[in-house]
Amino acid sequence: MSSMPSRSRPDTLYEALEALPEGVNGEIIAGQLYAFPRPAARHGLAASNIGGDLVNPFSRGRGGPGGWWNIVEPEVHFVRDVELTVPDLAGWRRGRMPELPDDHRFQVVPDWVCEILSPSTASHDRETKMPLYARHGVGHAWVVDPKAGRLEAFELVDGTWRDIGVFEGDASIRVAPFDAIEIDPPWKA
């Protein structure tokens, strides 16, 4: 019985991404592998709060219109195994993606993404990922800064992000594409 020789180095960037240690998130953008540690507590709280506010009215249709898949940290492949990101949250209208993929690769462009800023990812999220999302036609994006207590919302118009709202403080938030409901500020415990 013969065995396959083990490789000392990955042949592709995707193999290098898959070889990252546990607790490290990886993305491939414009031919470069980016790796970041797991997020800190404020980041996780904001992601949990947003996901929690959206799941019943949008994913399950309880108290809202339904019709969405909202996923925490999906691996979104804009070009399979070549260009991919892991947004903090992403949403797809079920009319565009009727079923979830069988594996971990989401190959349908999301209708909405949410990036939650942390000191190690803020410039990457704004300067690298936001242009990528625009280039691939993501319709809406939210950028949340939990430390500053701010949510910035954008809509893609003719390939360019248009600011549709900045929300700060303790007031409830109502903004597209989830403007059928109000959500609580995601930075609040």
Side-chain angles (χ1 to χ4, degrees), residues 12 16-17 38 42-43 59 65 77 94 96 121 164 175 181:
T12 67
L17 181 142
R38 298 289 302 161
R42 286 181 194 262
H43 184 285
S59 295
H77 287 245
R94 290 188 187 198
R96 289 190 53 250
T121 65
I164 58 171
V175 64
I181 65 160

Side-chain angles (χ1 to χ4, degrees), residues 14-39:
Y14 193 74
E15 288 174 353
L17 181 142
E18 288 183 313
L20 290 172
E22 185 75 26
V24 175
N25 287 336
E27 301 177 316
I28 302 171
I29 301 172
Q32 183 167 341
L33 174 62
Y34 295 90
F36 297 97
R38 298 289 302 161

Side-chain angles (χ1 to χ4, degrees), residues 17-146:
L17 181 142
E18 288 183 313
L20 290 172
E22 185 75 26
V24 175
N25 287 336
E27 301 177 316
I28 302 171
I29 301 172
Q32 183 167 341
L33 174 62
Y34 295 90
F36 297 97
R38 298 289 302 161
R42 286 181 194 262
H43 184 285
L45 175 67
S48 295
N49 286 343
I50 292 169
D53 281 347
L54 299 180
V55 71
N56 278 333
F58 292 96
S59 295
R60 294 186 171 162
R62 295 181 192 151
W68 284 79
W69 299 107
N70 290 302
I71 309 290
V72 175
E73 295 186 351
E75 189 174 291
V76 178
H77 287 245
F78 296 103
V79 178
R80 185 179 171 98
D81 297 351
V82 173
E83 185 151 64
L84 62 107
T85 65
V86 180
D88 295 308
L89 296 117
W92 291 262
R93 287 183 169 88
R94 290 188 187 198
R96 289 190 53 250
M97 188 174 75
E99 295 186 20
L100 292 173
D102 289 331
D103 67 4
H104 63 282
R105 293 173 178 96
F106 288 77
Q107 296 184 78
V108 175
V109 173
D111 294 292
W112 165 80
V113 294
C114 179
E115 292 295 350
I116 299 169
L117 304 180
S118 61
S120 64
T121 65
S123 63
H124 176 70
D125 289 341
R126 289 186 183 279
E127 297 165 18
T128 306
K129 292 173 82 170
M130 288 294 286
L132 173 81
Y133 295 147
R135 191 167 60 252
H136 286 283
V138 174
H140 289 88
W142 294 359
V143 176
V144 176
D145 185 337

